[in-house]
């Protein structure tokens, strides 16, 4: 039971996909101009990530190793289409503001990364928990960045006007503001964890994007030395 | 080094490579000269725009000093407020602002200049871009309305707001005479309006041998000839807007400009070129701050490029590597 809890919670803070693993930077920087956008993007990713993790975990024996990445992409693309159609039907405004970034979830490296590194090696329940945890971590990070940028850049929080006396700083709504806020939060997390958040041992080879092509020679050498 | 020797609490013997030149200059003294050199412009802008120009400049200086002091206190670093670099940043930032700017926006600018651009990158001498220029660009993008509200000069009669000469050109209005531009009887940022006052200050810096005139000359030459080629009045482009302030005082900052003369030439030419491209084809009427900021970012690459020019070192190619290998093999065989 404790193992299951660790699988679930590691994605939220310890291995937060955005703030610690630095995956999925593209949607992180592009859609976080408001807290609602950030949370909307995050929720879509939770759904896609959890569902695709479950299905890929189920199919891990059926998909041949050589074509596994196209196989995963097909599964992920299926769920992204479902999410996009749902958004179009029930939340057209959110769909409008997220725009191209909903279809682009297909190539979001968090989802493909978790499929490759976790779901294809672990049982269904673990994969589902991993997807949920990582998705929640992603959502929280995007919501936080979105809230900060919205607060400084537009003077609102979740679309509610907070006062009109002070002119908001427009630069927070632009690309430099996105980079700046992201960098500040990462710096803060590193400072709070005294640099331990990003440590090789805790992350290990499991989450390395090069694991498919890496022979692990250096790892063995390190172990030998 | 000299600064350390003066500080009695920090009597360290510093061993460095020759040549060991002793010079009476230190950071504090250089900064003091720059402050003195900026005084004519401060007097001119106070004369042109009234007392608020002086008050806003003093406010910016105080805010920069306080931010630097507080940061050093919190980060437990040695106090660097005494070297007067924050004073220079404060004055230069104020010179880049319109005189009617609210004080709190100026304070935000000081925060960006000192905390984010200077101290977070390691303090004096380690910032990769000019703090005052960066703060101005951030403010311009963040508060476009407040940053482009130009107050008319006191000589303009009943007019309440005055457009900048470059703004007038963008809108196709009649521009002021070159004499007005030279003396400063035009709208604009506090420090940029009077070319005469800036030149007096710069002459003082040249006399004290604090700066080399290489970058400003290249910068102004490109602006002059570019304007000539584009069929516009070259003198107007030199005296209007922030080119004088930028070329004389922002593009000559030690930290964010190339070390070697060939690099300084490239830097000055690049600044002039980008400024004129923005002025003539860009959406903004003025491009000085963007040009200096962009060239600041290129400085490490320019420096690396110019190492090779100065020391006649050719880029290492495969051939030389193989010769190195044979040499190494010879040595190895010799030891055997």
């Amino acid at each position: 039971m404790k193992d299951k809890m660790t699988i679930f919670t590691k994605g939220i803070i310890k291995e937060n996909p955005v703030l610690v693993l630095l995956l999925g930077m593209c949607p992180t920087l592009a859609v976080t101009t408001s807290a609602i956008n950030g949370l909307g993007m995050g929720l879509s990713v939770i759904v896609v990530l959890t569902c695709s993790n479950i299905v890929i975990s189920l199919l891990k024996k059926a998909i041949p190793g050589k074509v596994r990445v196209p196989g995963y992409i097909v599964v992920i693309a299926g769920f992204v289409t479902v999410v996009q159609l749902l958004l179009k039907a029930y939340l057209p405004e959110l769909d409008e503001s997220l725009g191209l970034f909903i279809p682009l979830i297909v190539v979001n490296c968090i989802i493909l990364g978790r499929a490759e590194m976790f779901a294809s090696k672990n049982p269904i329940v673990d994969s589902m928990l991993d997807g949920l945890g990582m998705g929640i971590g992603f959502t929280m990070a995007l919501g936080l960045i979105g809230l900060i940028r919205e607060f400084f850049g537009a003077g609102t929080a979740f679309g509610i006007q907070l006062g009109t006396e002070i002119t908001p700083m427009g630069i927070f709504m632009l690309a430099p503001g996105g980079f700046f806020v992201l960098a500040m939060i990462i710096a803060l997390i590193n400072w709070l964890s005294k640099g331990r958040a990003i440590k090789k041992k805790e992350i290990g080879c499991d989450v390395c994007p090069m694991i498919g092509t890496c022979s692990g020679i250096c790892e063995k050498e390190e172990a030998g030395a | 080094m000299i600064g350390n020797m003066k500080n009695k609490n920090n009597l360290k013997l510093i061993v460095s490579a020759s040549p060991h030149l002793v010079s009476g200059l230190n950071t504090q003294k250089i900064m003091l000269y720059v402050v003195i050199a900026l005084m004519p412009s401060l007097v001119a802008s106070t004369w042109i725009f009234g007392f608020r120009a002086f008050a806003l400049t003093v406010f910016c200086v105080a805010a920069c000093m306080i931010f630097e002091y507080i940061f050093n206190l919190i980060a437990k670093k040695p106090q660097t407020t005494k070297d007067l670099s924050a004073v220079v940043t404060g004055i230069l930032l104020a010179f880049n602002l319109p005189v009617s700017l609210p004080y709190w926006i100026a304070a935000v600018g000081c925060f960006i200049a000192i905390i984010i651009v200077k101290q977070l990158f390691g303090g004096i001498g380690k910032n990769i871009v000019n703090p005052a220029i960066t703060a101005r660009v951030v403010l311009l993008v963040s508060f476009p309305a407040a940053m482009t509200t130009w107050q008319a000069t006191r000589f303009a009669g009943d007019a309440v707001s005055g457009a900048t000469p470059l703004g007038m050109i963008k809108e196709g209005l009649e521009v002021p005479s070159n004499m007005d531009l030279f003396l400063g009887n035009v709208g604009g940022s506090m420090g940029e309006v009077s070319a005469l006052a800036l030149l007096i200050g710069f002459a003082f810096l040249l006399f004290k041998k604090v700066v080399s005139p290489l970058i400003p000359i290249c910068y102004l030459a490109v602006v002059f000839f570019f304007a000539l080629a584009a069929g516009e009045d070259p003198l107007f482009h030199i005296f209007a807007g922030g080119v004088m302030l930028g070329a004389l005082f922002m593009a000559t900052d030690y930290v964010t400009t190339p070390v070697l003369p060939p690099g300084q030439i490239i830097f000055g030419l690049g600044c002039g070129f980008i400024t004129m491209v923005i002025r003539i084809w860009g959406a903004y009427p003025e491009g000085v701050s963007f040009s200096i900021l962009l060239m600041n970012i290129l400085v490490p690459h320019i420096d690396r490029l110019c190492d090779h020019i100065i020391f006649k070192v050719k880029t290492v190619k495969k051939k030389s590597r193989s010769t190195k290998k044979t040499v190494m093999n010879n040595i190895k065989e010799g030891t055997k």
Side-chain angles (χ1 to χ4, degrees):
Chain A
M1 193 60 208
K2 206 185 161 196
D3 290 353
K4 304 262 187 259
M5 273 313 281
T6 358
I7 290 171
F8 177 68
T9 53
K10 74 176 190 299
I12 297 173
I13 292 175
K14 215 166 116 192
E15 286 184 22
N16 188 299
V18 175
L19 303 175
V20 179
L21 305 182
L22 304 186
L23 293 171
M25 288 294 105
C26 204
T28 304
L29 292 165
V31 303
T32 51
T33 47
S34 73
I36 301 276
N37 277 3
L39 289 178
M41 182 74 196
L43 288 172
S44 318
V45 168
I46 290 183
V47 174
V48 176
L49 185 53
T50 313
C51 297
S52 69
N53 260 12
I54 293 171
V55 172
I56 287 163
S57 179
L58 278 169
L59 293 175
K60 61 179 180 275
K61 295 248 167 62
I63 300 174
K66 277 184 183 166
V67 294
R68 64 185 193 288
V69 172
Y72 300 156
I73 298 266
V74 169
V75 173
I76 297 164
F79 285 113
V80 171
T81 314
V82 172
V83 168
Q84 194 186 8
L85 290 176
L86 284 174
L87 278 180
K88 269 202 198 325
Y90 295 104
L91 294 163
E93 278 176 21
L94 187 63
D95 182 66
E96 191 102 322
S97 59
L98 292 178
L100 187 65
F101 287 94
I102 289 294
L104 279 178
I105 295 176
V106 176
V107 285
N108 187 323
C109 39
I110 299 171
I111 297 174
L112 194 60
R114 292 330 285 177
E116 170 85 13
M117 284 145 216
F118 199 92
S120 60
K121 292 171 194 152
N122 288 289
I124 305 164
V125 181
D126 288 5
S127 301
M128 189 191 77
L129 288 173
D130 178 75
L132 268 178
M134 285 284 163
I136 291 170
F138 184 75
T139 311
M140 280 168 52
L142 260 65
L144 183 65
I145 297 170
L147 186 64
I148 294 172
R149 285 179 72 182
E150 192 187 343
F151 178 75
F152 284 109
T156 58
F158 297 99
I160 300 156
Q161 191 75 33
L162 293 175
T164 49
E165 297 88 48
I166 292 176
T167 328
M169 278 184 83
I171 200 164
F172 276 94
M173 299 302 264
L174 305 171
F179 279 102
F180 181 71
V181 172
L182 177 67
M184 282 294 150
I185 295 175
I186 293 171
L188 188 70
I189 286 200
N190 266 329
W191 183 61
L192 287 177
S193 64
K194 298 193 176 76
R196 267 176 299 186
I198 302 172
K199 207 172 177 185
K200 203 182 154 203
K201 269 185 194 164
E202 284 174 9
I203 297 170
C205 276
D206 287 348
V207 290
C208 172
M210 297 298 288
I211 194 167
T213 51
C214 171
S215 56
I217 293 173
C218 6
E219 188 87 346
K220 280 169 204 159
E221 272 179 4
E222 262 180 28
Chain B
M1 189 174 152
I2 310 287
N4 279 338
M5 286 163 99
K6 275 197 170 174
N7 188 350
K8 279 178 185 166
N9 302 327
N10 194 9
L11 282 172
K12 272 187 203 161
L13 178 65
I14 297 169
V15 183
S16 61
S18 62
H20 301 282
L21 295 175
V22 179
S23 133
L25 277 180
N26 58 28
T27 309
Q28 192 185 11
K29 226 171 196 173
I30 291 172
M31 292 300 165
L32 187 65
Y33 288 151
V34 178
V35 170
I36 293 170
L38 287 166
M39 282 305 121
S41 301
L42 181 59
V43 173
S45 68
T46 311
W47 170 249
I48 293 161
F49 292 116
F51 179 72
R52 195 167 194 278
F54 181 73
L56 192 59
T57 310
V58 171
F59 176 82
C60 281
V61 170
C64 283
M65 293 288 269
I66 291 168
F67 281 134
E68 183 154 318
Y69 183 81
I70 293 174
F71 182 91
N72 284 330
L73 211 63
I74 293 173
K76 298 192 181 89
K77 296 203 165 170
Q79 276 304 339
T80 49
T81 38
K82 270 189 194 160
D83 66 21
L84 298 181
S85 61
V87 176
V88 172
T89 304
I91 298 177
L92 282 176
L93 175 60
F95 279 10
N96 275 289
L97 306 173
V99 69
S100 54
L101 195 77
Y103 284 105
W104 73 267
I105 294 185
V108 171
C110 294
F111 180 86
I112 293 160
I114 293 295
I115 304 285
I116 292 171
V117 181
K118 192 172 156 205
Q119 297 296 347
L120 283 185
F121 280 90
I124 180 170
K126 287 173 183 153
N127 47 308
I128 53 170
V129 289
N130 188 312
I133 282 278
T134 318
R136 182 201 137 86
V137 168
V138 171
L139 291 184
L140 183 64
V141 176
S142 299
F143 309 104
M147 282 295 285
T148 50
T149 307
W150 310 106
Q151 191 190 318
T153 65
R154 50 188 283 185
F155 311 108
D158 296 334
V160 180
S161 70
T164 64
L166 288 162
M168 293 173 180
I169 259 201
K170 278 268 150 150
E171 287 167 27
L173 299 170
E174 199 179 327
V175 294
S177 72
N178 281 345
M179 200 58 198
D180 274 349
L181 282 170
F182 184 65
L183 294 175
N185 184 21
V186 289
S189 303
M190 279 160 39
E192 73 181 21
V193 286
S194 175
L196 177 66
L198 289 166
L199 282 170
I200 292 171
F202 190 67
F204 171 75
L205 285 187
L206 280 183
F207 172 69
K208 284 283 177 191
K209 293 199 174 108
V210 174
V211 292
S212 113
L214 201 54
I215 294 175
I217 288 173
C218 293
Y219 195 153
L220 296 176
V222 171
V223 170
F224 187 89
F225 289 111
F226 202 117
L228 209 61
E232 299 201 18
D233 182 4
L235 279 178
F236 170 82
H237 273 283
I238 283 191
F239 292 138
V243 162
M244 271 292 169
L245 178 63
L248 301 183
F249 289 100
M250 311 288 232
T252 49
D253 172 25
Y254 286 167
V255 182
T256 54
T257 52
V259 183
L260 302 166
Q264 293 177 345
I265 293 174
I266 298 175
F267 184 86
L269 297 179
C271 284
F273 183 76
I274 298 172
T275 302
M276 288 311 285
V277 166
I278 295 177
R279 275 190 181 182
I280 293 178
W281 292 296
Y284 282 102
E286 175 63 303
V288 169
S289 42
F290 294 106
S291 76
I292 296 176
L293 187 60
L294 284 169
M295 291 309 288
N296 278 168
I297 294 166
L298 289 181
V299 163
H301 305 290
I302 297 173
D303 269 340
R304 203 175 304 157
L305 199 75
C306 296
D307 278 355
H308 300 293
I309 300 172
I310 283 280
F311 300 114
K312 302 271 180 229
V313 180
K314 283 181 185 158
T315 35
V316 184
K317 282 178 186 161
K318 269 192 179 167
K319 205 179 170 187
S320 62
R321 194 191 279 167
S322 66
T323 48
K324 198 179 166 190
K325 233 178 202 174
T326 48
V327 171
M328 289 299 283
N329 285 342
N330 289 344
I331 294 169
K332 267 186 193 168
E333 279 164 22
T335 50
K336 272 176 194 171

